[in-house]
Structures are given as structure tokens and as C-alpha cells.
């Protein structure tokens, strides 16, 4: 009887093991993709952040890998879909740009912009894209292809926009150039030294 129960156990084990193996071959392993995303997350999705202060206003540029937004939107259930979307969009660059007054005053007030509050909001929403461009390490100049202004309705002590640039090789080092017409603080340059794709994945 003991021999029979051992035999049943062994057969059950092999049956389960072979089923698991079949499932893995039917659903290809995404561990390589998971490792890449884990490495990006480990160094900090938003670790490449550069701040310049002009008088009492801080300007911060942060390059965020496009995978961050894809995972945020699609989740981690199907990493192969996320990775294939990244491959299609890997020549896009997304930069977050924030403006913050050192005493956390509302930067869109007339005291800082010289224009009415609603006009300043319109400028942040529709006119700011002309103030930004990127220069690549090959000296190509890439215009900003779009800006999304994240309205915070005076809840957060800063103003934030998301900048979009297209047609940039993922291995290119870039420099963001901002000509500040809104607060009249001149031209600021933010050089991003490394690319995320150089990380040993």
C-alpha cells in the first residue's frame, strides 16, 4: 500500500511539473523584460533631475523613461505589450519641468508674470511649447512637440508641465534649453549626462 501511495505521489509530481513546463512554453517568459524594468525602477524612475535657481524661482527638469508612463498606464500584467509599445515609441522623450517660488507663492500671479492670472494659465497650457527645445549630442535641435500643463488649482506649491519631444535616438545624450518668457529669467540649459539605455540590463 505504501508503495502504491509513493508511486501515485511521484506520478502526480511529474504530471504537475510537465503541466507547468507546458504553460511556460505556451506563455513565453517575460523575466528579461521584468529585469530591465526592475533596474530602471531601482535607480529611481525620476533620478535624473536637474535644478537651477534664478533669483527666487527654482526651475527643475527631470527626464523620465517612457517605460514609467507605459507601466503607470498599463500596469505590470502584460509586460510584453508594454515592451512592444516602448519599442514603437523609444524615439520619444518625456521631460517633467517644474517651476517653484522659494516661499511657495503662486507663480502665476501678476507679481511674477506681469499678466492676468487667466492669461498666465493660458500661456502655461498653450504657449509654453515654443519656449523649449532639445539639443542632442550630435548638435541636432529638436523642437518641443507638445506640452501638458498639470493644473493643481493652488493646492501644490509649484507649477508643473510635461514636455514631449520626438525623433530622438534613445542612446543620445540631450540638453534641454528653456527660454523663459513667462517669468523673464533668461535662457536656462539642463544637460542630461547619461541615457537610461546604457544601464547594464
Amino acid at each position: 500500500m505504501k508503495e502504491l501511495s509513493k508511486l501515485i505521489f511521484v506520478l502526480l509530481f511529474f504530471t504537475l511539473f510537465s503541466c507547468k513546463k507546458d504553460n511556460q512554453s505556451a506563455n513565453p517568459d517575460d523575466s528579461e523584460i521584468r529585469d530591465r524594468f526592475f533596474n530602471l525602477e531601482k535607480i529611481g524612475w525620476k533620478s535624473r533631475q536637474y535644478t537651477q535657481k534664478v533669483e527666487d524661482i527654482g526651475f527643475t527638469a527631470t527626464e523620465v523613461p517612457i517605460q514609467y508612463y507605459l507601466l503607470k498606464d498599463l500596469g505590470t500584467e502584460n509586460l510584453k505589450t508594454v515592451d512592444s509599445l516602448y519599442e514603437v515609441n523609444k524615439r520619444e522623450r518625456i521631460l517633467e519641468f517644474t517651476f517653484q517660488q522659494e516661499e511657495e507663492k503662486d507663480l502665476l500671479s501678476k507679481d511674477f508674470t506681469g499678466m492676468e492670472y487667466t492669461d498666465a494659465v493660458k500661456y502655461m497650457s498653450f504657449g509654453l511649447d515654443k519656449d523649449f527645445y532639445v539639443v542632442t549630442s550630435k548638435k541636432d535641435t529638436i523642437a518641443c512637440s507638445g506640452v501638458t500643463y498639470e493644473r493643481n488649482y493652488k493646492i501644490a506649491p509649484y507649477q508643473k508641465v510635461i514636455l514631449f519631444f520626438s525623433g530622438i535616438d534613445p542612446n543620445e545624450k540631450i540638453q534641454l534649453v528653456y527660454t523663459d518668457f513667462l517669468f523673464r529669467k533668461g535662457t536656462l540649459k539642463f544637460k542630461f549626462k547619461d541615457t537610461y539605455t546604457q544601464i547594464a540590463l
Side-chain angles (χ1 to χ4, degrees):
M1 191 65 159
K2 285 183 180 179
E3 297 290 324
L4 184 61
S5 63
K6 282 182 183 179
L7 182 63
I8 291 172
F9 177 76
V10 170
L11 287 173
L12 184 64
F13 175 77
F14 282 118
T15 305
L16 288 173
F17 183 75
S18 65
C19 288
K20 185 176 179 185
K21 195 171 181 180
D22 288 343
N23 284 344
Q24 284 179 340
S25 62
N27 187 7
D29 188 22
D30 66 357
S31 61
E32 186 268 332
I33 300 167
R34 195 169 295 280
D35 286 345
R36 269 191 285 138
F37 292 163
F38 175 75
N39 285 336
L40 283 171
E41 185 177 16
K42 193 168 75 174
I43 63 164
W45 288 112
K46 301 183 181 187
S47 62
R48 296 191 323 161
Q49 188 175 83
Y50 299 93
T51 300
Q52 291 187 42
K53 193 169 180 186
V54 181
E55 296 169 12
D56 60 343
I57 300 176
F59 301 87
T60 302
T62 307
E63 184 173 7
V64 184
I66 198 162
Q67 295 98 316
Y68 170 82
Y69 292 102
L70 291 171
L71 287 168
K72 191 174 175 183
D73 190 45
L74 301 172
T76 57
E77 292 300 311
N78 191 344
L79 291 182
K80 290 196 175 293
T81 300
V82 173
D83 195 50
S84 64
L85 283 170
Y86 166 70
E87 284 301 317
V88 170
N89 295 289
K90 68 183 178 183
R91 297 182 64 84
E92 308 295 318
R93 293 286 178 99
I94 300 174
L95 302 172
E96 292 181 357
F97 199 85
T98 57
F99 312 81
Q100 185 167 358
Q101 201 272 338
E102 64 184 4
E103 295 175 8
E104 299 185 355
K105 293 179 181 174
D106 188 351
L107 280 172
L108 297 184
S109 68
K110 196 169 187 174
D111 297 340
F112 296 104
T113 63
M115 59 178 77
E116 294 300 321
Y117 195 88
T118 53
D119 293 332
V121 169
K122 284 178 189 173
Y123 191 84
M124 289 287 281
S125 301
F126 307 111
L128 207 59
D129 59 331
K130 295 182 282 303
D131 300 349
F132 290 94
Y133 65 91
V134 157
V135 179
T136 68
S137 54
K138 293 176 183 169
K139 304 298 181 204
D140 293 329
T141 300
I142 312 290
C144 182
S145 57
V147 172
T148 298
Y149 171 43
E150 291 188 358
R151 293 268 325 250
N152 61 38
Y153 300 94
K154 302 182 184 183
I155 295 170
Y158 57 82
Q159 301 296 328
K160 180 178 173 183
V161 293
I162 298 178
L163 310 169
F164 303 94
F165 297 90
S166 297
I168 303 173
D169 186 312
N171 297 309
E172 279 286 332
K173 295 178 183 178
I174 62 170
Q175 180 178 55
L176 176 68
V177 181
Y178 170 54
T179 305
D180 180 23
F181 295 111
L182 187 61
F183 307 110
R184 302 168 306 282
K185 301 297 182 191
T187 300
L188 290 84
K189 297 178 180 179
F190 303 83
K191 191 163 192 168
F192 296 94
K193 298 183 179 99
D194 301 311
T195 59
Y196 284 105
T197 50
Q198 291 175 343
I199 297 166
L201 302 174

